[in-house]
Amino acid sequence: MRMEDNSSDVAIGQLVGKYTYPHRSQKWRELTLEGIKIDHFDPKQNIVREVKKSPKLEKAHIAQVRYYLYRLVTAGIKDPIGVIEYPRLKRTVNVTFSDKVAEEVRSWITDIELIVRQKECPPVISKSYCKRCAYHDFCYV
Ligand code: SF4
């Protein structure tokens, strides 16, 4: 499921990424694995890059990149690393992978599988950031 494809915020983030560092665009490739699409992957150095407008949800951004790294490792890619860029702040956050991160990601997957198997949807969390989330319609319909 890729609700992000319809999100204006995601589209803006992609444009920020494309036009902030145009001289770097050559090395990045789009990489599709089952169920996910990584917009920026450097296959020479095994680097995943995410470009974000604001660090307001930095914890979620780091979780996203950790999940990507997990998927890359399970697909047989060696020692991938992640970089999150906030061009407006000229700030970069490095994301590394470890056995502990793998364990953490596996626990998220287990939690998600439990939620998916529930007969009822979980209660609405009503957070302000939901309004700008790409999955808003799905959660609040
Ligand atoms: S809209 Fe749904 S997926 Fe998005 S942050 Fe809120 S609860 Fe999470």
Side-chain angles (χ1 to χ4, degrees), residues 3-141:
M3 306 294 271
E4 296 100 325
D5 289 344
N6 300 322
S7 164
S8 57
D9 270 8
V10 172
I12 290 166
Q14 287 169 341
L15 286 174
V16 169
K18 187 172 176 185
Y19 291 108
T20 306
Y21 307 111
H23 56 290
R24 283 204 238 155
S25 60
Q26 293 298 321
K27 75 175 188 178
W28 302 107
R29 300 278 179 275
E30 190 177 286
L31 179 67
T32 303
L33 299 171
E34 190 185 341
I36 62 168
K37 188 174 80 179
I38 297 173
D39 291 330
H40 303 117
F41 178 65
D42 173 356
K44 281 194 181 152
Q45 299 184 78
N46 293 348
I47 301 174
V48 172
R49 178 179 77 146
E50 270 295 312
V51 181
K52 301 293 186 186
K53 277 197 310 179
S54 132
K56 264 194 213 160
L57 295 176
E58 188 170 293
K59 202 176 158 196
H61 302 159
I62 291 171
Q64 178 186 4
V65 173
R66 283 182 175 164
Y67 180 70
Y68 287 168
L69 297 178
Y70 174 83
R71 291 293 306 274
L72 290 169
V73 167
T74 53
I77 293 175
K78 281 199 165 190
D79 303 324
I81 54 172
V83 174
I84 303 169
E85 293 178 344
Y86 300 101
R88 288 176 180 174
L89 300 176
K90 300 195 185 320
R91 186 167 155 237
T92 298
V93 175
N94 294 320
V95 182
T96 55
F97 191 76
S98 65
D99 289 346
K100 198 173 163 204
V101 170
E103 201 177 304
E104 184 184 29
V105 174
R106 279 194 287 269
S107 80
W108 300 338
I109 294 169
T110 303
D111 289 348
I112 291 165
E113 286 170 352
L114 286 173
I115 291 169
V116 169
R117 281 200 215 104
Q118 286 176 5
K119 286 191 177 155
E120 303 283 331
C121 292
V124 175
I125 61 171
S126 292
K127 296 285 185 186
S128 58
Y129 52 74
C130 288
K131 288 184 191 135
R132 301 188 68 82
C133 174
Y135 291 84
H136 180 272
D137 290 354
F138 183 75
C139 292
Y140 286 82
V141 67

